[in-house]
Each structure stands twice: as structure tokens, then as C-alpha cells.
Amino acid sequence: MIPEPKVVNTIINGDSKQILVSERDSLLEALRDRIGMTGAKEGCNNGNCGACAVIMDGRLVNSCCVMAAEVEGAEIMTVEGLASRDELHPLQTEFLDNAALQCGICTPGFLMSSYALLQENPDPTEEEARFWLAGNLCRCTGYDKIIDSVLTVAKG
Amino acid sequence: MQAVNYARATDVDDAVRLLIEGGENARVLAGGTDLIVQARERKRNVDLLVDVKHVEEFMVLEFDTNTGLKVGAATPLYQVYGDNNVKINYPAIVDASTVIGGKAIQGRASLGGNLGNSSPAGDSLPAMIVLGGVATLAGPNGRREVPVGEFFTGPGRNILETGELIVYISFPPVGAGEGAAWERFIPRNEMDIAVASAGAWVKIEGGSVTDARIALGAVAATPLVANDAAEALIGRPLTDESISAAGDAASEIASPITDMRGSIKQRKHLAKVLTERTIRMAADRIR
Ligand SMILES: Cc1cc2nc3c(=O)[nH]c(=O)nc-3n(C[C@H](O)[C@H](O)[C@H](O)COP(=O)(O)OP(=O)(O)OC[C@H]3O[C@@H](n4cnc5c(N)ncnc54)[C@H](O)[C@@H]3O)c2cc1C
Ligand code: FES
Ligand code: FES
């Protein structure tokens, strides 16, 4: 049985989008392969690494664990929506200044997860930040620079 | 991903109808944190996902001091543990639901999905059992209520019949002298599957334990209701001796396996340690 192509109506980073998907696509596949939004990364494809994290209707989710068909009527924010037209988001600036990335594959996920943390808890303790970011894996940085960056942004 | 279709249920009856029409490879989709991964990795044959998240009854979170707590089968965990009534009255649910995956998992994962997946290591399961949780099921023959402790039949298996699903889980109101707790052992601080877990609920009146429930996770083919451990507490004051006897009884009924996460010996030991710890935590929480 081959699933029928299906049109999904959604809002991504504030813009209405119609995406033609296969019903077997995940949200991550729809973003990357159907509309060329390659910000969200595929790390594990099973929910463990957080590289694919996006915000769906205000909640942090792993887009590899969401079906594309589920986002009909939903609002999505991806890492592409973090910077404004001519200015990086403070988290992005701080990650760069503080060398909180090396290969960069985990970075979009860490940025979205950190963004969601600061939305909910604008002044986290180090422990709260580490616990919140436990669903994001990084093979390069050793985490300290990431945590420092998030706490620096929180302190303003 | 295997070829799979997606359908959004409009009400409970519609979900039952979709499941029956879909046949044996139709599955309820709640948060998808187990199901989507299992379907992709072909650990489960799935050809229809029945999304129940747009039906209010699956998404409720209601508390009443007289009737207790009602949690929709698909209500996401962050809502459950973020709720003040849950925090105050059912902290054992908070103990378990705050450590299921990380924040991105908790934005979607549900108690109904933890039940439906029926892993012996499902973290919320011992907590729901000791709190007296009852699942309300709907199916082609109407509705029925099943205590969480009677839901499981084996690893990944449960009593749900064809076309039947979980609508919500209810917990009785919290009476005077009652407290509950849940804890697990994992080698790291978060984001891991339990080596073993335990939940305890105690009721203390006039200095004596008048009722108790103990449940264990990841030490048998299903979550275990440890009646002997509870019996060791009931009818006497809570003392180091009675708590230790309960721990021994828990260890006794544990029938774990050795796998990459832990050995039989370690898990039997953990059943005792975690039972004793959660009994003390439960007693400390009595208000
Ligand atoms: C990275 C990661 C970490 C995890 N960590 C943990 C952990 O620490 N502890 C833990 O216990 N689990 C963990 N899990 C597993 C999973 O998140 C939980 O089991 C969760 O509770 C599943 O809920 P869900 O809503 O996502 O279920 P789904 O994936 O939507 O469903 C799970 C199963 O239940 C069935 N089902 C769902 N709802 C119903 C219903 N209403 N009626 C009948 N059947 C239903 C589905 O058909 C499916 O078979 C983890 C998963 C991931 C990906
Ligand atoms: S790719 Fe989605 S969590 Fe790793
Ligand atoms: S920078 Fe390489 S994985 Fe994090």
C-alpha cells in the first residue's frame, strides 16, 4: 500500500505554508526533503539526540518523532526563524562568540532547546539548564561552552 | 518508514471505528515517542496511525478534591507535571513523568502511551499502580474500567482487545494520612531506561499503617504489584524493621533478567533498596 500524497497546511516561522508530503513522512523529512528547510538536522532519527528539535504550537518537540500529517493546522518554529532579518538571536551570537560549537550538527537543536528553556524559565540555574538540555547530545564541545552561553544570555 | 496512513479521529467512537476498519496493524497515535520510532525501525508493523489528540476526552486534565484526578490518555506529560493540583496531590506522578525522556519528549509523550506501550520498564506504570489508577477503555462493545495493575499481560502486551483503546486514567482523591512516591535507578541522571524502579503508597492512621501499595518496574515481564511487600507494612507502625521486611518481600517477588542494563542480582538488590526508599519518601509526604 503506497500512501497518497497529501497537502498539509501549516505556519512555519510566521509564514503560511502548504507542503505536499507523503503520509509516511516525519515532520523532519517534510521540512528537509519537501521544502528544503535544512536547519533541523537528522542525528539519530529516534528521539534521543535532539538535533531535529523544533517548536510546535509553543512546545519543544523532536521533529523526527512527529508525523508531517500531524502538523495540519499547527504552528512550527525552526532554527531558521530564530534570527531577525538582519540580526542573529542573542543565543546565536553567544554560541559563536563563545565557540559553543565545533562541527555544528547539534547546534540548531541546542539553539531551539535553549530558546524554549529561556521562554519558560528566563533565569535558569546551571543545574536547570543542564537538566533541560539533557535531551540534546553533542559529540564535540563537551557541553560546558553551550551551558555557559545559555547562562550568559539569560543573565543579559 | 514503512508505508503508513494517518487519520485524525473526531471523537471517541470515530477512533474505535477507525481502529476496527484499520485492522490489526492500526495503532492509536498519542505523542508518537514510542510508536513513530518503532514503526520506522520496523519493530512494529503499522499501516494506520489513528491520531486521538484532537478529541477532548483524550486530552483532559481535571482535578476535584471529592472525585480525584482524571488524565486524558494523550494529555502530554509537561501539562500533567506542570499542573499545580497534580504537584500538590499526586507528586508520585511528577516523580515519574519528569524523567520520561527529555523536555522534547515530554512535550508530546503521554501516560496513555506509556500504558499502551506496556514496557515492563515504563516509568509511570508503578506510580500509577500504587496511586490506584484506573484506565477507562472504549471499544466496540462500549466502555469498561481496568485497574492499571491488571492491564499488562507481558512485555509490550496488554488486555486491550481489537478496536479497544484507553480514553483516560482516573486516580482516587487523596485522603488524610496518605502519601506516595516513585523512584528509579539509572546509571546517569536523566535520559535513560530504568534498570529498576519502585512506587510506594502508604496510609498511616493513629500511628499505624492501615493500608499500603507497592509496585515494581523493570524487574519482571510486566510491572509488578508487590502485595507481599505491602502486607509487611500493614497493621503496624512504620519502623526500620517493617520497611526492611517490605524491601525483602519486594526483592523476593522480583523475577528480573540479566541484560545490558543490569544483572539479576543487581535488580533484586535494587528492588529492595528502591522499595525501602520510596516507602520512606511516601511517609514523609503525608500532610
Ligand atoms: C528519547 C526517548 C526517551 C525515552 N525515555 C523514557 C523513559 O525514561 N521512561 C519511559 O517510561 N519511557 C521513555 N520513553 C518511551 C516513551 O516516551 C514513553 O513510553 C511515552 O510515555 C509514550 O507516550 P506517547 O504518547 O508518545 O505514546 P505513543 O508512541 O503515541 O504510543 C505508544 C503505544 O501505546 C499505544 N497507545 C497510545 N495511546 C493509546 C491509547 N489511548 N489507547 C490504546 N493504545 C494507545 C500506541 O498505539 C503505541 O503502541 C522514551 C522515548 C524516547 C524516544
Ligand atoms: S534526529 Fe530527532 S532526536 Fe535525533
Ligand atoms: S558541535 Fe559537533 S556535535 Fe555538537
Side-chain angles (χ1 to χ4, degrees):
Chain A
M1 180 203 57
I2 304 293
E4 295 282 312
K6 180 179 184 122
V7 175
V8 171
N9 298 283
T10 168
I11 296 175
I12 302 181
N13 301 328
D15 298 330
S16 307
K17 294 257 188 219
Q18 288 196 327
I19 317 177
L20 188 64
V21 302
S22 156
E23 284 196 35
R24 72 168 84 178
D25 287 352
S26 66
L27 172 58
L28 178 62
E29 288 161 337
L31 289 170
R32 294 181 58 86
D33 304 342
R34 305 286 173 186
I35 55 171
M37 294 185 73
T38 54
K41 301 294 181 233
E42 181 186 309
C44 62
N45 219 11
N46 62 22
N48 274 282
C49 77
C52 65
V54 302
I55 292 174
M56 175 174 172
D57 290 333
R59 292 313 300 184
L60 184 72
V61 300
N62 290 330
S63 60
C64 72
C65 294
V66 176
M67 298 307 289
E70 283 185 82
V71 304
E72 172 67 40
E75 257 188 69
I76 308 295
M77 179 183 170
T78 70
V79 71
E80 286 94 338
L82 206 50
S84 60
R85 194 165 288 279
D86 40 33
E87 217 177 340
L88 291 179
H89 187 277
L91 281 165
Q92 292 170 307
T93 309
E94 192 57 38
F95 269 53
L96 282 172
D97 290 351
N98 199 24
L101 60 144
Q102 290 177 28
C103 80
I105 190 118
C106 68
T107 312
F110 269 103
L111 287 169
M112 295 317 286
S113 191
S114 307
Y115 175 84
L117 164 64
L118 298 184
Q119 291 286 109
E120 186 157 311
N121 180 357
D123 191 17
T125 62
E126 181 181 339
E127 195 185 341
E128 284 168 342
R130 285 189 186 275
F131 201 76
W132 183 285
L133 294 171
N136 294 81
L137 300 184
C138 175
R139 295 288 282 180
C140 305
T141 64
Y143 301 100
D144 286 353
K145 291 182 172 191
I146 295 173
I147 300 291
D148 286 350
S149 304
V150 174
L151 295 176
T152 304
V153 171
K155 296 281 173 286
Chain B
M1 175 66 87
Q2 50 193 293
V4 57
N5 280 303
Y6 169 90
R8 203 173 264 192
T10 53
D11 58 32
V12 177
D13 290 343
D14 187 44
V16 171
R17 186 183 57 76
L18 285 164
L19 278 182
I20 290 172
E21 283 175 12
E24 61 169 328
N25 291 337
R27 305 287 311 178
V28 176
L29 176 67
T33 60
D34 279 314
L35 185 56
I36 293 174
V37 177
Q38 288 164 5
R40 177 177 301 129
E41 294 175 356
R42 292 179 191 267
K43 288 185 179 139
R44 213 183 252 292
N45 291 326
V46 183
D47 55 27
L48 178 66
L49 299 170
V50 178
D51 188 351
V52 296
K53 293 189 295 297
H54 296 266
V55 179
E56 209 185 319
E57 233 188 325
F58 291 101
M59 300 297 282
V60 295
L61 186 62
E62 287 170 11
F63 173 74
D64 179 301
T65 38
N66 297 316
T67 54
L69 177 70
K70 188 167 153 183
V71 184
T75 306
L77 296 179
Y78 82 87
Q79 265 176 23
V80 179
Y81 65 65
D83 183 84
N84 257 333
N85 289 315
V86 176
K87 282 185 205 167
I88 294 167
N89 297 292
Y90 304 92
I93 296 180
V94 179
D95 294 338
S97 51
T98 45
V99 301
I100 294 181
K103 292 290 171 185
I105 298 294
Q106 293 154 13
R108 300 251 299 162
S110 62
L111 294 181
N114 211 219
L115 258 176
N117 193 54
S118 301
S119 159
D123 282 322
S124 73
L125 309 175
M128 289 200 275
I129 292 172
V130 298
L131 288 171
V134 173
T136 293
L137 314 179
N141 303 318
R143 294 198 174 197
R144 60 177 175 140
E145 295 190 340
V146 176
V148 174
E150 294 166 22
F151 186 77
F152 311 101
T153 55
R157 291 201 307 275
N158 56 51
I159 51 113
L160 286 179
E161 283 166 12
T162 312
E164 202 171 34
L165 42 59
I166 311 153
V167 187
Y168 55 83
I169 305 131
S170 339
F171 301 91
V174 181
E178 299 176 10
W182 173 90
E183 202 172 284
R184 72 177 177 183
F185 176 80
I186 56 171
R188 47 186 299 220
N189 289 328
E190 67 290 289
M191 290 291 289
D192 208 347
I193 296 173
V195 179
S197 74
W201 173 89
V202 293
K203 185 177 178 75
I204 300 182
E205 290 167 304
S208 221
V209 177
T210 54
D211 204 357
R213 286 190 288 267
I214 310 287
L216 305 171
V219 296
T222 66
L224 282 186
V225 184
N227 285 329
D228 290 353
E231 294 298 329
L233 300 175
I234 296 171
R236 50 184 67 89
L238 196 63
T239 60
D240 287 349
E241 289 69 38
S242 73
I243 293 172
S244 175
D248 289 338
S251 183
E252 189 61 35
I253 70 150
S255 56
I257 54 168
T258 291
D259 64 10
M260 59 186 274
R261 287 178 207 288
S263 63
I264 291 175
K265 192 173 167 201
Q266 182 190 19
R267 285 192 160 108
K268 278 195 159 279
H269 174 68
L270 285 169
K272 175 172 167 68
V273 172
L274 294 172
T275 296
E276 294 182 4
R277 240 186 239 171
T278 49
I279 292 169
R280 289 182 204 279
M281 279 168 66
D284 281 347
R285 282 178 174 170
I286 295 173
R287 282 173 293 138

